[in-house]
Amino acid sequence: MDNWWMQLLAPLTANKGALYETRARQFLEAQGLGFVSRNYRCRRGEIDLIMRQGEQLVFVEVRYRAGSRHGGAKASVTRQKQQKLRLAASHYLVSQQLSESRQACRFDVVAFTGDQCEWLPNAF
């Protein structure tokens, strides 16, 4: 796709991403998780949401797909994406002066496929 076309679509994609991140946060808070941070970015990647459940930090990837073609939203969290999330989470822990060996963590996915919301705790 041409660069100018991508620049035209970027604000629409960002708005949709923000909408589904907000929906995911509200859903997780209703499940008893506490909000910590949103859109943590570093050179290694980005974490959509950081939540807390008890003493455990929960790094959350939020995905949206209009339909289930190609496996839907949850199938879009590839091994490469998982690796980027792990690296970003490691960077976050260091930035907060936390130790990976002492801070319990997990990676969840909240996947929206059409109107369906699926929460995958400890997804990888």
Side-chain angles (χ1 to χ4, degrees), residues 25-37:
R25 176 182 171 180
Q26 291 169 343
F27 172 81
L28 292 171
E29 287 177 330
Q31 306 307 309
L33 281 73
F35 175 74
V36 175
S37 184

Side-chain angles (χ1 to χ4, degrees), residues 40-42 50 88-99:
Y40 176 79
R41 290 181 176 93
C42 65
I50 302 172
S90 178
H91 188 274
Y92 175 81
L93 291 172
V94 169
S95 76
Q96 301 299 305
Q97 299 178 346
L98 298 170
S99 167

Side-chain angles (χ1 to χ4, degrees), residues 60-61 63 74 77 107-111 118-121 123-124:
V60 182
E61 176 66 8
R63 302 300 269 193
K74 68 181 176 181
V77 184
F107 294 89
D108 289 8
V109 172
V110 177
E118 187 173 4
W119 178 28
L120 304 160
F124 55 92

Side-chain angles (χ1 to χ4, degrees), residues 104-115:
C105 302
R106 74 171 196 246
F107 294 89
D108 289 8
V109 172
V110 177
F112 293 93
T113 302
D115 291 334

Side-chain angles (χ1 to χ4, degrees), residues 41-109:
R41 290 181 176 93
C42 65
R43 294 175 73 185
R44 296 176 174 182
E46 178 187 356
I47 302 168
D48 294 328
L49 295 171
I50 302 172
M51 306 292 286
R52 182 172 290 282
Q53 187 170 36
E55 295 298 314
Q56 190 173 50
L57 275 180
V58 182
F59 299 102
V60 182
E61 176 66 8
V62 179
R63 302 300 269 193
Y64 168 78
R65 294 293 181 268
S68 59
R69 195 168 72 178
H70 306 296
K74 68 181 176 181
S76 70
V77 184
T78 64
R79 293 242 185 255
Q80 182 180 8
K81 181 61 177 174
Q82 292 173 22
Q83 183 62 22
K84 284 186 174 187
L85 289 166
R86 285 186 183 106
L87 291 171
S90 178
H91 188 274
Y92 175 81
L93 291 172
V94 169
S95 76
Q96 301 299 305
Q97 299 178 346
L98 298 170
S99 167
E100 289 181 55
S101 62
R102 293 186 183 187
Q103 175 60 61
C105 302
R106 74 171 196 246
F107 294 89
D108 289 8
V109 172

